[in-house]
Amino acid sequence: MEVSFTKEVEALRLGAGETFHGEGILAITKALLQSGVAYVGGYQGAPVSHLLDVMVQAEPYMKELGVHVEACANEASAAAMLGASIHYPLRGAVTWKSIVGTNVAADALSNLSSPGVVGGALIVVGEDYGEGASVIQERTHAYALKSSMLMLDPRPELGNMVRIVEHAFRLSEASNMPAMLELRIRACHVRGSFVCKDNVAPRISTQHTMAEPAPFDYARLAHPPVTFGHEKLKSGERIPAARRYIVAEALNEHHAGTRTDIGLIVQGGLYNTLIRALQQLGLADAFGASELPLLVLNVTYPIVPDEVVAFAAGKRAVMVIEEGQPEYIERDILAALHRAGATTALHGKDLLQMAGEYTVELMAAGLASLLERHQPDVDTRPTRDWLAANVARRAEVAAQLGRAVPARPPGFCIGCPERPVFAALKLAQQDVGPVHVAADIGCHALATFEPFSSGHSILGYGMSLASSAGVAPMMKRRVLSIMGDGGFWHNGLLTGVQSSLFNGDDSVLLIMKNGYTSATGTQDIISTPDEEEKARAPDRQQSLVDRNTTIESTLKGLGVQWMRTVHTYRVAEMKKTLQEAFTTDFAGLKVIIAEGECQLERQRRVRPWIASLLKRGKRVVRVKYGVDEDVCTGDHACIRLSGCPTLTLKDNPDPLKLDPVATVIDGCVGCGLCGENAHAATLCPSFYRGEVVQNARWHERVLASLRSAIVQRLQAA
Ligand code: SF4
Ligand code: SF4
C-alpha cells in the first residue's frame, strides 16, 4: 500500500516516561509491544486496519524486538495463528473486523478455546456496530459466551485502554482463556495521550527461538474425548480463575456517586456517551464526575456475580446499559441478582431501545425514564424538552424540504476501474436480458447503489460464486457472480471456484483484478503489482496489474477452461465478453478477469511522481474529459451509465431548454470511461477529450497562442 505510517511507526518506539499522543487503535498497538507480544497477525478491515498496517510497516523494528508479524490470508488463518499460545508461553495478538471476521474465524476460535492457552492470546476485534458500520448488525459477545472466551470492552480513554490490554494477556494466562477486546469505531478513533512504558522484547522470539518442540500432550488437542474434559474446565476452573483476577486487579471501575439510591452498570465502551447523556440531565460534569454510582465493565464476560450483587446492594434500582441485541449482559446480571436473592429492581432494555447504536439522545431518554420512576426529585423536564425539540426540529426541516433528506449513498472513487464493468454489465443485459447477480464484499458492492442497482444477494466475503450454486441451476439465463481479487484470495478460490469446478457448475464468475484489498485500505495481496514494477512504470494506468498473473495461473492450474481477461476501461469489449459468457455453448465455469488498477492507489503513486516531474521542469500531459454544453441534449443517459461524481449537472445555458446539461467538473482524473461509454452505448457526441499540457515546449506555446487568437477572431466575427 502507498499510504505511509512513518509517524505512527515512530510512536511505537516511545520509551518509559515519554508521552504518546494519538488515536485509540494506535495506543492499543503500542500496548501490545509494552506487553511483550511475540507474534501479531490479522486481516484488515475497518475500524482496526490501522493496527496491522502500522505493524507491517514497522517490520524492521519488529525484527529488532523479535516480534513476528503476519498479514494473514483471512481471519481464519489469523485465529489459527493463536494456536502458538496453546503449548508455548508466547503472547500473541491478532485483529480483524467483527462480526464478519469472527464468523470466518469461528472454527479456529472454538478449537483454540477448548484446550485453552498458556501464553496470553488476545483478539482485537473492530466491533463494527451502529452508525457508520459496514456490516451486518450482530454482536461479537455471542462468541465469547459460546466458546468461553474473555470479552473486554475498555472505557475509551487511552490510559485505560492500554491498562486493559496489558491486563488482557495476564488475565488470559491466569484463566487459560483466549481474550477478545472489542473496539467500536469511536474507540478506535478517540484521541488522547498516555505515559508510555518501555516495549518488552519477548523471551521467546524470532531472535531467541526454541530449540525443541513441546512434548506431546493429548490434552492440548481439540477432539473427543479430551474435549469433554475441556468443557468442564471452562466452567469449573477457567471462568472462576478469570473472576478472581478481575476482582484482584480491579479491572472493572467503580464510581461512587452521591445519589446512592440507584446505579448504572455500563459496558466500558459506552462510558463516554453515558457521561454526555448524564450531563444533559445535569447529573455529571464534562470530566466524568457522576452523581449516579457507576459500575464500568471493562470486562463484560465473564461477569463477576459478587461484584454485581455488591454494587446493587442497598439500591432501589440498577440499570444496565448494553448496546445491541440480545441483552446478554443484562441476563447475566439478572441471573446473578436473582440467585443472590437481591430485591433491587433491574432495568435495561425495558427502558432503552433494544437495537441500534446507543446515542446520547437515546441514552438520555432511557435515563430520564429511570429517574422518573426511581428518583423523582431529579427534574427531567429540561431533558424531555430538549429531546422533543430535537424531534420537532427534524420534522420541521423535513417539512420545509417537502420530503425526507435524500440518502446519499457511497459510491466508487473517481476513475475507479470497477465502474466501467457495471456500465458494461448494464449494456450487456440490454441484449441478453436481466441476469441474477451474486454480489460480494468489496468496492464492487458499491454497484448495489444507484445508478447501477446491481446485485441480488451478498452472502459473505469471497462467497458470491458459492452463493450462486443453488440459484444457477434454477435459472434459464446464466447467473453472474462477482468478486474482487481480495475476496478471491480470502475465500473465493476454495469455497467458490474449487466447488464450482468439482460440481461442474454452469456459471459465470467475474473477478475484479484491481491489485489490492481496496475496500479495507488498499492493503497488498499476493497478486499486487510488485514495487519494482510500480517504480518502473509509475504512470501505467490500465496494464500494471496485468503483470502479476497469479490469479490466472492459479485458475489454470485448477482446471478452469474458459477464461478471458479484459481491461475494465474497455467497455465495449467487456460488454461483448459478458455476452459471450452468458450465451456460449461451453457449460462449465466461465471466468472473466476484469483488470484495472485501483485508481485510489494509482493516484497515490502518480501524484507525487507528477509533482516531481513538474518540479524538474519536465513536460507533463494530463487528460481531462468534458461535455460540450451546446451539444448535450440533457437526457443524462451518460450519468445513468457512469455515476462518476465528477460527471454531474449544471444549468442549461440555452434559455430555451429546461433540462440541465451534463458537465465534467474539476476532479476528473481522465480515466477514459466517459469516452468509452459514449462509444459502447452510442451516446450523443457531446463528450470531448482534452489534454492539459504543463511545462509545454516553446513551439506548443506558440501554437496555443495562435489557436487562441484564431478562436477569438472567429468568436468576435
Ligand atoms: S478504492 Fe479503488 S477499487 Fe475501491 S472504489 Fe476506490 S478506486 Fe475503486
Ligand atoms: S473520464 Fe469521466 S468517468 Fe473518468 S474520471 Fe473523468 S468524468 Fe469520471
Side-chain angles (χ1 to χ4, degrees), residues 414-415 625 642 644 646-647 664 668-674:
I414 296 165
Y625 280 74
S642 162
C644 175
T646 54
L647 175 59
V664 176
C668 169
V669 295
C671 76
L673 175 61
C674 283

Side-chain angles (χ1 to χ4, degrees), residues 182-310:
E182 64 174 322
L183 291 177
R184 293 171 188 77
I185 300 170
R186 289 176 217 273
C188 282
H189 302 307
V190 71
R191 296 190 75 84
S193 62
F194 69 92
V195 179
C196 300
K197 293 180 192 148
D198 284 333
N199 293 334
V200 176
R203 196 168 53 79
I204 303 168
S205 70
T206 55
Q207 301 289 354
H208 303 283
T209 50
M210 295 177 276
E212 301 294 339
F216 177 75
D217 183 356
Y218 176 68
R220 296 198 184 277
L221 293 163
H223 67 99
V226 76
T227 45
F228 302 122
H230 291 161
E231 196 194 5
K232 287 184 182 147
L233 280 176
K234 284 177 179 177
S235 54
E237 292 182 18
R238 295 180 193 165
I239 291 176
R243 286 179 172 144
R244 285 194 295 276
Y245 186 97
I246 292 164
V247 173
E249 298 295 336
L251 295 193
N252 296 324
E253 298 169 284
H254 293 250
H255 299 264
T258 48
R259 294 176 173 269
T260 54
D261 257 11
I262 57 174
L264 304 175
I265 303 179
V266 62
Q267 285 173 293
L270 303 184
Y271 173 86
N272 291 352
T273 317
L274 173 63
I275 292 300
R276 190 73 192 90
L278 286 171
Q279 271 181 270
Q280 284 296 333
L281 287 147
L283 294 174
D285 66 18
F287 302 99
S290 163
E291 286 185 33
L292 298 188
L294 307 179
L295 172 54
V296 182
L297 298 176
N298 287 308
V299 186
T300 53
Y301 185 78
I303 290 294
V304 182
D306 292 347
E307 186 177 42
V308 170
V309 171

Side-chain angles (χ1 to χ4, degrees), residues 74 88 99 122 139 208 222 234 267 269 287 294 312 331 342 389 431 466 470 482 498 558 619 654 666 703:
N74 56 32
Y88 305 102
I99 190 71
L122 180 65
R139 299 178 60 190
H208 303 283
K234 284 177 179 177
Q267 285 173 293
F287 302 99
L294 307 179
R331 289 179 195 174
D431 291 341
I482 299 175
Q498 188 255 136
L558 217 55
R619 181 178 180 272
D654 184 340
D666 250 3
L703 199 61

Side-chain angles (χ1 to χ4, degrees), residues 413-416 419-420 541 569 599 623-626 642-648 663-665 667-677 687-688:
C413 298
I414 296 165
C416 172
R419 178 180 285 112
Q541 177 163 302
Y569 294 101
Q599 192 70 223
V623 173
K624 292 266 176 195
Y625 280 74
S642 162
C644 175
T646 54
L647 175 59
T648 182
T663 185
V664 176
I665 55 174
C668 169
V669 295
C671 76
L673 175 61
C674 283
E676 287 287 334
N677 275 350
F687 281 94
Y688 62 83

Side-chain angles (χ1 to χ4, degrees), residues 372-391:
E372 284 153 9
R373 268 194 216 193
H374 296 285
Q375 203 92 136
D377 65 301
V378 177
D379 184 7
T380 58
R381 276 173 304 174
T383 304
R384 293 285 186 202
D385 291 348
W386 170 69
L387 290 167
N390 290 346
V391 173

Side-chain angles (χ1 to χ4, degrees), residues 66-365:
V67 177
H68 174 68
V69 179
E70 182 102 355
C72 299
N74 56 32
E75 297 84 355
S77 68
M81 203 181 164
L82 291 172
S85 299
I86 294 176
H87 278 281
Y88 305 102
L90 291 164
R91 288 186 171 178
V94 296
T95 186
W96 57 69
K97 174 195 194 84
S98 202
I99 190 71
V100 284
T102 314
N103 291 340
V104 176
D107 195 18
L109 291 179
S110 293
N111 284 285
L112 174 76
S113 304
S114 191
V117 294
V118 292
L122 180 65
I123 304 144
V124 179
V125 296
E127 188 76 350
D128 200 18
Y129 186 87
E131 292 171 11
S134 59
V135 295
I136 316 109
Q137 297 297 273
E138 289 183 7
R139 299 178 60 190
T140 313
H141 199 93
Y143 282 91
L145 296 182
K146 86 168 176 65
S147 297
S148 295
M149 290 185 283
L150 302 157
M151 178 52 89
L152 310 165
D153 189 353
R155 177 171 57 83
E157 183 275 321
L158 266 53
N160 185 58
M161 290 158 94
V162 169
R163 175 181 85 97
I164 294 299
V165 168
E166 290 170 343
H167 275 297
F169 287 105
R170 297 199 280 271
L171 177 58
S172 172
E173 285 158 5
S175 62
N176 303 129
M177 295 163 74
M180 302 183 102
L181 181 132
E182 64 174 322
L183 291 177
R184 293 171 188 77
I185 300 170
R186 289 176 217 273
C188 282
H189 302 307
V190 71
R191 296 190 75 84
S193 62
F194 69 92
V195 179
C196 300
K197 293 180 192 148
D198 284 333
N199 293 334
V200 176
R203 196 168 53 79
I204 303 168
S205 70
T206 55
Q207 301 289 354
H208 303 283
T209 50
M210 295 177 276
E212 301 294 339
F216 177 75
D217 183 356
Y218 176 68
R220 296 198 184 277
L221 293 163
H223 67 99
V226 76
T227 45
F228 302 122
H230 291 161
E231 196 194 5
K232 287 184 182 147
L233 280 176
K234 284 177 179 177
S235 54
E237 292 182 18
R238 295 180 193 165
I239 291 176
R243 286 179 172 144
R244 285 194 295 276
Y245 186 97
I246 292 164
V247 173
E249 298 295 336
L251 295 193
N252 296 324
E253 298 169 284
H254 293 250
H255 299 264
T258 48
R259 294 176 173 269
T260 54
D261 257 11
I262 57 174
L264 304 175
I265 303 179
V266 62
Q267 285 173 293
L270 303 184
Y271 173 86
N272 291 352
T273 317
L274 173 63
I275 292 300
R276 190 73 192 90
L278 286 171
Q279 271 181 270
Q280 284 296 333
L281 287 147
L283 294 174
D285 66 18
F287 302 99
S290 163
E291 286 185 33
L292 298 188
L294 307 179
L295 172 54
V296 182
L297 298 176
N298 287 308
V299 186
T300 53
Y301 185 78
I303 290 294
V304 182
D306 292 347
E307 186 177 42
V308 170
V309 171
F311 180 75
K315 292 188 174 60
R316 243 189 298 158
V318 164
M319 182 154 94
V320 179
I321 300 168
E322 175 186 10
E323 193 174 63
Q325 63 179 346
E327 65 277 49
Y328 297 113
I329 303 170
E330 189 179 329
R331 289 179 195 174
D332 262 5
I333 292 171
L334 187 64
L337 294 178
H338 186 70
R339 284 186 189 133
T343 53
T344 311
L346 186 75
H347 295 285
K349 293 293 185 187
D350 56 336
L351 302 181
L352 288 155
Q353 190 170 297
M354 178 59 92
E357 181 173 330
Y358 277 4
T359 59
V360 172
E361 277 181 61
L362 215 141
M363 271 198 208

